[in-house]
Short mmCIF file of all heavy atoms in Angstrom, two decimals:
data_model
loop_
_atom_site.label_atom_id
_atom_site.label_comp_id
_atom_site.label_asym_id
_atom_site.label_seq_id
_atom_site.Cartn_x
_atom_site.Cartn_y
_atom_site.Cartn_z
N LEU S 98 -9.81 -6.62 9.62
CA LEU S 98 -10.97 -5.76 9.80
C LEU S 98 -12.25 -6.60 9.95
O LEU S 98 -12.26 -7.78 9.63
CB LEU S 98 -11.12 -4.84 8.60
CG LEU S 98 -9.94 -3.92 8.30
CD1 LEU S 98 -10.13 -3.26 6.95
CD2 LEU S 98 -9.81 -2.87 9.39
N GLN S 99 -13.26 -5.95 10.40
CA GLN S 99 -14.58 -6.56 10.39
C GLN S 99 -14.90 -6.98 8.97
O GLN S 99 -14.66 -6.23 8.03
CB GLN S 99 -15.62 -5.54 10.88
CG GLN S 99 -17.04 -6.05 10.86
CD GLN S 99 -18.02 -4.95 11.21
OE1 GLN S 99 -17.64 -3.89 11.70
NE2 GLN S 99 -19.29 -5.20 10.98
N GLY S 100 -15.40 -8.16 8.79
CA GLY S 100 -15.65 -8.66 7.45
C GLY S 100 -14.56 -9.61 6.99
O GLY S 100 -14.71 -10.30 5.99
N GLY S 101 -13.45 -9.63 7.70
CA GLY S 101 -12.42 -10.62 7.42
C GLY S 101 -11.31 -10.18 6.51
O GLY S 101 -10.35 -10.91 6.32
N SER S 102 -11.44 -9.03 5.90
CA SER S 102 -10.35 -8.62 5.02
C SER S 102 -9.29 -7.89 5.83
O SER S 102 -9.38 -7.77 7.04
CB SER S 102 -10.86 -7.74 3.90
OG SER S 102 -9.86 -7.59 2.92
N GLU S 103 -8.29 -7.47 5.11
CA GLU S 103 -7.12 -6.91 5.79
C GLU S 103 -6.93 -5.44 5.47
O GLU S 103 -6.96 -5.03 4.32
CB GLU S 103 -5.86 -7.64 5.33
CG GLU S 103 -5.84 -9.10 5.65
CD GLU S 103 -4.89 -9.86 4.75
OE1 GLU S 103 -4.48 -9.32 3.70
OE2 GLU S 103 -4.58 -11.00 5.08
N LYS S 104 -6.71 -4.68 6.51
CA LYS S 104 -6.20 -3.33 6.33
C LYS S 104 -4.69 -3.45 6.41
O LYS S 104 -4.17 -4.13 7.27
CB LYS S 104 -6.74 -2.45 7.45
CG LYS S 104 -6.02 -1.14 7.66
CD LYS S 104 -6.57 -0.45 8.89
CE LYS S 104 -5.79 0.80 9.25
NZ LYS S 104 -6.38 1.46 10.43
N LEU S 105 -4.02 -2.80 5.51
CA LEU S 105 -2.56 -2.84 5.52
C LEU S 105 -2.03 -1.59 6.22
O LEU S 105 -2.38 -0.47 5.87
CB LEU S 105 -2.02 -2.89 4.10
CG LEU S 105 -2.27 -4.19 3.34
CD1 LEU S 105 -1.79 -4.05 1.90
CD2 LEU S 105 -1.57 -5.35 4.01
N VAL S 106 -1.19 -1.82 7.22
CA VAL S 106 -0.50 -0.72 7.88
C VAL S 106 0.90 -0.68 7.29
O VAL S 106 1.65 -1.65 7.42
CB VAL S 106 -0.46 -0.94 9.41
CG1 VAL S 106 0.35 0.16 10.07
CG2 VAL S 106 -1.88 -1.00 9.96
N PHE S 107 1.23 0.41 6.64
CA PHE S 107 2.48 0.50 5.92
C PHE S 107 3.56 1.20 6.74
O PHE S 107 3.28 2.09 7.55
CB PHE S 107 2.29 1.32 4.63
CG PHE S 107 1.57 0.59 3.55
CD1 PHE S 107 0.19 0.61 3.47
CD2 PHE S 107 2.28 -0.11 2.58
CE1 PHE S 107 -0.47 -0.07 2.46
CE2 PHE S 107 1.63 -0.78 1.57
CZ PHE S 107 0.25 -0.76 1.50
N GLY S 108 4.81 0.79 6.48
CA GLY S 108 5.93 1.57 6.96
C GLY S 108 6.08 2.80 6.08
O GLY S 108 5.35 2.98 5.11
N LYS S 109 7.02 3.66 6.42
CA LYS S 109 7.22 4.90 5.69
C LYS S 109 7.89 4.70 4.34
O LYS S 109 7.95 5.62 3.53
CB LYS S 109 8.08 5.87 6.53
CG LYS S 109 7.39 6.34 7.79
CD LYS S 109 6.21 7.23 7.50
CE LYS S 109 5.65 7.82 8.78
NZ LYS S 109 4.42 8.61 8.54
N GLY S 110 8.42 3.51 4.13
CA GLY S 110 9.08 3.23 2.86
C GLY S 110 10.56 3.52 2.89
O GLY S 110 11.05 4.33 3.70
N MET S 111 11.28 2.84 2.03
CA MET S 111 12.73 3.01 1.91
C MET S 111 13.07 3.15 0.44
O MET S 111 12.73 2.27 -0.35
CB MET S 111 13.46 1.80 2.51
CG MET S 111 14.90 2.05 2.89
SD MET S 111 16.01 2.17 1.46
CE MET S 111 15.76 0.59 0.70
#
Side-chain angles (χ1 to χ4, degrees):
Chain S
L98 301 170
Q99 178 186 347
S102 192
E103 298 157 345
K104 163 186 174 179
L105 291 175
V106 176
F107 285 88
K109 294 292 187 185
M111 200 287 301

